[in-house]
Amino acid sequence: MNYVLCVICALFCMSRASAAEGDIFVPKAPDYADPAMWYTADGDTANAGADVFYVVSTWETDWTAADGKVSHWADVCNPRHRDRMAIEISKVAAYMSVGNRFYAPYYRHATIDGFVTQNEDTIRSRAQVAMGDVCRAFDYFQNVRDKSRPFIIVGFSQGGMAMVSLLKHMSDEQYQGLVAAYVLGYKVTPEDTLSSSHIRPAKGESDTGVTICYNTVKDAKYAKPVIAGTCFAINPVNWRTDATPATLHDTITVTLDPHHHVLVVKGYSGAEYRPYGNLINVGDIHSCEPWLYSECLKQNFATRTRRFRSERNNNQ
């Protein structure tokens, strides 16, 4: 899907949402040539890392615009909305930008209210606006960056949904520069894998051009299909796809359930994350995904990037 089709798709879905849901307010689309629409950080002093494209999770609830209409999307022109997104972005940038160049677009993410319905049609309909923004941001990112450098894409929650969209959206030429895609706290379905040859499950800690996916729960029975109904996963602590347990921070045991494709964590309650809408942090530990494994992710970015650069040098 190219830029024009991405915009047409977003506009079409917005018109459908208006017809189906009544009087709603759709915020103005971001202009990604405007630096205010990006959070960036450059930690690659040696020019040996990757360009990291990060998509933030969900930070807004439904809100009422000045004209009295309800909006189901974040408003990137609202400094308060951007500031809330920046809370998460700045924290992940603190470790994802180490040895890398970090780029995160602000986008009209769908509000949490749509996800709380746990209705796939509602979620997909509202998320089309968000996914259109992410596709346009990614195209701008690709146009302005140094394409001699490899890149990584990573997103959390709704940002993880965006990773699946981007894997389908990117061209084969762009895919050749992809170190890996990280889908944190969201799902990859069998239909997704069939729709794009770019979606290849990671098998270990250093394979490249692959997709890393995981969701964390206290017990497999707590996995929410709307978020964690994934068809593959990997343990980010030991990078195994079987049930071999791994120890994190000396006291936490992380074990992949190969049947349900979720991480079952023992020795960690996740009590700092409050439940919301009977959807997240209710038996699962959804909100921990970018934080609990941060050291593992930082190291893995470096490991896969070194492998990618080595493979590319050997093929030249």
Side-chain angles (χ1 to χ4, degrees):
M1 183 183 291
N2 60 25
Y3 169 82
V4 175
L5 288 178
C6 211
V7 173
I8 291 173
C9 179
L11 291 174
F12 174 70
C13 290
M14 279 188 275
S15 67
R16 288 189 63 189
S18 296
E21 300 184 36
D23 237 6
I24 59 174
F25 175 77
V26 181
K28 180 182 177 181
D31 174 7
Y32 287 113
D34 182 354
M37 293 298 104
W38 293 89
Y39 185 109
T40 61
D42 189 351
D44 190 3
T45 56
N47 194 30
D51 292 342
V52 177
F53 183 88
Y54 181 80
V55 180
V56 68
S57 67
T58 308
W59 278 83
E60 297 303 322
T61 59
D62 280 358
W63 56 282
T64 303
D67 60 5
K69 295 180 181 179
V70 172
S71 183
H72 302 308
W73 301 276
D75 183 357
V76 295
C77 296
N78 185 327
R80 288 179 297 175
H81 288 199
R82 290 202 310 274
D83 287 347
R84 282 193 280 267
M85 286 186 261
I87 294 171
E88 175 186 321
I89 296 172
S90 62
K91 290 181 179 178
V92 297
Y95 71 89
M96 291 186 183
S97 68
V98 176
N100 302 304
R101 295 176 185 166
F102 179 90
Y103 305 80
Y106 296 106
Y107 71 114
R108 293 173 295 175
H109 61 260
T111 63
I112 189 65
D113 300 74
F115 290 89
V116 168
T117 68
Q118 300 192 48
N119 181 290
E120 293 280 5
D121 290 338
T122 299
I123 293 168
R124 282 196 297 268
S125 175
R126 295 184 185 180
Q128 286 300 321
V129 172
M131 299 304 106
D133 283 358
V134 172
C135 288
R136 290 188 301 106
F138 178 78
D139 290 343
Y140 184 84
F141 161 77
Q142 288 291 347
N143 286 337
V144 300
R145 76 183 191 89
D146 179 355
K147 294 184 187 62
S148 68
R149 293 169 54 84
F151 70 96
I152 291 168
I153 61 173
V154 52
F156 167 44
S157 195
Q158 186 170 172
M161 174 193 284
M163 294 304 98
V164 179
S165 292
L166 281 184
L167 286 163
K168 298 174 184 179
H169 170 78
M170 71 176 61
S171 68
D172 290 343
E173 181 180 3
Q174 289 168 338
Y175 174 71
Q176 294 305 309
L178 178 68
V179 174
Y182 293 76
V183 179
L184 314 183
Y186 204 72
K187 62 185 176 182
V188 180
T189 68
E191 292 76 19
D192 291 329
T193 62
L194 292 173
S195 68
S196 176
S197 61
H198 300 161
I199 302 176
R200 297 171 42 230
K203 300 298 184 183
E205 70 173 340
S206 62
D207 41 353
T208 60
V210 296
T211 299
I212 291 90
C213 180
Y214 64 76
N215 289 270
T216 305
V217 297
K218 297 178 184 179
D219 188 285
K221 67 183 180 182
Y222 294 119
K224 305 293 192 304
V226 72
I227 293 174
T230 189
C231 63
F232 66 81
I234 193 167
N235 189 328
V237 183
N238 60 10
W239 301 104
R240 300 283 296 255
T241 57
D242 59 19
T244 303
T247 302
L248 179 66
H249 305 318
D250 298 326
T251 59
I252 302 171
T253 302
V254 183
T255 306
L256 177 67
D257 181 326
H259 178 67
H260 295 96
H261 310 293
V262 292
L263 304 176
V264 179
V265 171
K266 304 297 182 185
Y268 173 67
S269 69
E272 63 269 38
Y273 304 116
R274 294 183 297 174
Y276 188 91
N278 199 34
L279 174 65
I280 60 174
N281 306 324
V282 184
D284 65 297
I285 319 178
H286 178 75
S287 296
C288 81
E289 308 297 16
W291 321 115
L292 185 60
Y293 314 104
S294 59
E295 284 300 315
C296 302
L297 293 172
K298 181 174 72 172
Q299 293 172 14
N300 195 245
F301 281 17
T303 297
R304 292 186 196 273
T305 300
R306 284 195 299 269
R307 174 73 174 272
F308 183 95
R309 285 180 173 271
S310 176
E311 289 173 342
R312 185 170 61 184
N313 290 338
N314 289 337
N315 289 332
Q316 289 178 346

